[in-house]
Amino acid sequence: MRHATFCIIQLFVVSFLVISCASCESENQEENNNSENDSIEFYFGADLSYVNELEDCGAIYKDQDGDEKEVYSIFEQMGANLVRLRLWHNPDWTYYSNYSDVKKAIQRAKNANMKVLLDFHYSDTWADPSRQLIPRAWQSEVNNTQALGELLYNYTYNTLNELSQEDLLPDIVQVGNEINTMILQEDEENDPLDWQRNSHLINKGIQAVRDISGVRNKNIEVMLHIAQPENGLWWFEEATSNGVSDFDWIGLSYYPIWSQYELNEVHIPLSTLINTYHKKLMIVETAYPFTLDNADSANNILGEDALTNNFPASGQGQLDYLNQLYNIVKTAGGQGLVYWEPAWVSTNCFTQWAQGSHWDNATLFDHSGKATEGINFYTNAFDE
């Protein structure tokens, strides 16, 4: 009897210890999940959305020694710690930047030990300040804000849930891309901002991210992205006054050619945004030409008028621009800088407009596929 009682007590103690250890492990795991993004002081990012397509078109990438290498590895070895990827809802004009393509790209980023910023465009095509076209599948509900909000929520949640089932959840999610104008519009007329509609839709996207983050016990941060810092000043004032406040990051595109702020002035809006809203800030799009030469029949978007601060269109000028912008962002209190499409090199494939690349003179690889001096910007990560 005493032996049986002892065994029962022993079993109880062992069970208690197992449960306690499991609880501790769960708490530690939760703590790790909630702090995993906090371990990075500054994000050095690359938007590699085009890479899968370009490699299918025959693009090759070489390091600075001229050795051909896997492109994600080139960025990781240079110091990049974040990959940004765009996601279109259901594009019928391309096989890329859809769910299956993004899933493949996220896996490549994770294989290279880099964090992932997933950019929901909430459109079947490019979403930007000039157009925020609603996906065709949602067209019937364009004037039904409640129903449209549910569609947006379900799409965001289900996409992230599917990614989670393959351990491919992103670390940061953009709820929209360059959403200066009202999201999910019927045409390109850029209707005046109806904040009752706009805030409801944005908040439904944010809620979806928060909900999947809770269900999957992973800290996924939310970013709202506006093109050009001067637009961020009025947009975030209006957004927060209309109930859009549950976000972690202010994301900005900054191209001096399209901004009223020169490079030596851009610290003003950056500091203002950080100090006013007490959110983290990241430049999620910027670029600088390493040459003015064109490699193909697709006209280059960035030409001589894109040059700033007396930096020439050269690899060194590209690096000097990035290093100066990095120092400006960091001094202002920002925590990230992403180069937009550094791998969009020229190939025989076509864009919607022409054969080749409209960015071939502003990539971080020259016309032979060799990394330019500009890619050395990422080595700043080793000093963080």
Side-chain angles (χ1 to χ4, degrees):
M1 180 68 176
R2 286 166 50 187
H3 177 72
T5 302
F6 175 77
C7 290
I8 292 172
I9 293 172
Q10 187 178 43
L11 179 61
F12 173 80
V13 171
V14 171
S15 299
F16 176 79
L17 289 174
V18 170
I19 293 171
S20 297
C21 289
S23 176
C24 290
E25 183 177 353
S26 177
E27 290 177 3
N28 289 337
Q29 183 63 43
E30 181 176 358
E31 183 177 346
N32 288 338
N33 284 339
N34 289 338
S35 63
E36 58 190 359
N37 292 341
D38 294 335
S39 62
I40 295 180
E41 294 185 9
F42 197 95
Y43 285 98
F44 295 85
D47 191 315
L48 301 182
S49 300
Y50 260 126
V51 165
N52 291 340
E53 178 177 2
L54 294 174
E55 288 178 337
D56 287 346
C57 291
I60 59 171
Y61 300 96
K62 306 172 186 175
D63 64 17
Q64 290 187 307
D65 292 326
D67 297 325
E68 185 176 340
K69 290 186 177 179
E70 199 274 337
V71 67
Y72 280 74
S73 296
I74 293 176
F75 282 97
E76 189 270 336
Q77 290 167 10
M78 293 303 297
N81 54 25
L82 178 72
V83 173
R84 181 174 182 255
L85 300 165
R86 66 173 165 268
L87 175 62
W88 289 316
H89 182 265
N90 188 27
D92 62 0
W93 53 277
T94 178
Y95 296 109
Y96 301 93
S97 290
N98 56 18
Y99 176 77
S100 61
D101 180 60
V102 163
K103 185 172 70 170
K104 176 182 176 182
I106 292 177
Q107 186 64 69
R108 295 182 71 177
K110 289 186 177 290
N111 290 345
N113 299 312
M114 290 189 280
K115 301 291 187 180
V116 175
L117 166 55
L118 181 59
D119 176 11
F120 281 87
H121 276 234
Y122 296 124
S123 181
D124 296 326
T125 187
W126 299 93
D128 55 47
S130 65
R131 61 178 181 175
Q132 294 284 330
L133 295 179
I134 189 171
R136 287 179 301 280
W138 302 355
Q139 181 70 42
S140 63
E141 305 295 347
V142 67
N143 295 316
N144 187 337
T145 300
Q146 295 300 317
L148 192 55
E150 291 307 307
L151 286 168
L152 188 150
Y153 174 91
N154 291 334
Y155 166 62
T156 306
Y157 185 95
N158 291 338
T159 298
L160 295 174
N161 190 46
E162 288 180 32
L163 290 172
S164 74
Q165 293 171 8
E166 301 191 46
D167 197 26
L168 294 176
L169 275 173
D171 302 278
I172 307 172
V173 167
Q174 271 187 226
V175 177
N177 184 77
E178 294 189 328
I179 53 174
N180 301 40
T181 55
M182 188 164 60
I183 66 171
L184 302 180
Q185 295 192 54
E186 192 169 12
D187 50 41
E188 298 186 31
E189 293 181 2
N190 289 328
D191 295 334
L193 268 167
D194 175 354
W195 272 109
Q196 184 175 357
R197 178 185 188 272
N198 207 44
S199 61
H200 178 79
L201 297 176
I202 293 170
N203 281 331
K204 293 299 284 188
I206 293 173
Q207 182 187 346
V209 179
R210 299 302 190 205
D211 286 351
I212 197 69
S213 182
V215 168
R216 297 300 177 184
N217 193 31
K218 177 179 172 64
N219 181 30
I220 308 172
E221 297 179 322
V222 173
M223 175 181 288
L224 300 180
H225 173 209
I226 300 300
Q228 305 307 339
E230 59 268 27
N231 294 319
L233 295 175
W234 63 262
W235 192 93
F236 282 99
E237 180 179 2
E238 293 187 11
T240 53
S241 66
N242 282 279
V244 180
S245 59
D246 184 22
F247 57 96
D248 306 289
W249 286 91
I250 292 173
L252 299 172
S253 298
Y254 175 62
Y255 300 95
I257 185 177
W258 298 306
S259 176
Q260 70 184 47
Y261 287 97
E262 297 289 343
L263 186 60
N264 59 1
E265 302 172 324
V266 75
H267 67 280
I268 299 172
L270 302 187
S271 298
T272 299
L273 287 165
I274 292 168
N275 295 331
T276 301
Y277 302 105
H278 307 288
K279 306 289 187 180
K280 292 185 278 191
L281 182 145
M282 186 186 304
I283 301 293
V284 294
E285 290 191 27
T286 197
Y288 201 82
F290 69 86
T291 182
L292 297 179
D293 294 336
N294 193 355
D296 50 42
S297 60
N299 292 330
N300 292 336
I301 296 173
L302 298 184
E304 189 171 2
D305 53 353
L307 304 182
T308 187
N309 215 47
N310 294 319
F311 295 140
S314 66
Q316 186 61 51
Q318 190 179 58
L319 176 59
D320 290 342
Y321 167 79
L322 288 171
N323 282 339
Q324 183 161 335
L325 181 56
Y326 157 65
N327 287 324
I328 290 169
V329 172
K330 186 175 181 181
T331 300
Q335 294 176 254
L337 178 59
V338 179
Y339 199 97
W340 192 77
E341 291 295 359
W344 187 12
V345 296
S346 179
T347 68
N348 290 327
C349 289
F350 284 75
T351 67
Q352 288 174 291
W353 306 277
Q355 175 270 316
S357 167
H358 302 277
W359 213 249
D360 60 63
N361 71 319
T363 57
L364 294 180
F365 297 90
D366 65 21
H367 293 161
S368 71
K370 181 180 177 181
T372 68
E373 291 95 327
I375 205 169
N376 289 312
F377 152 72
Y378 293 103
T379 62
N380 287 299
F382 300 125
D383 297 326
E384 288 288 324

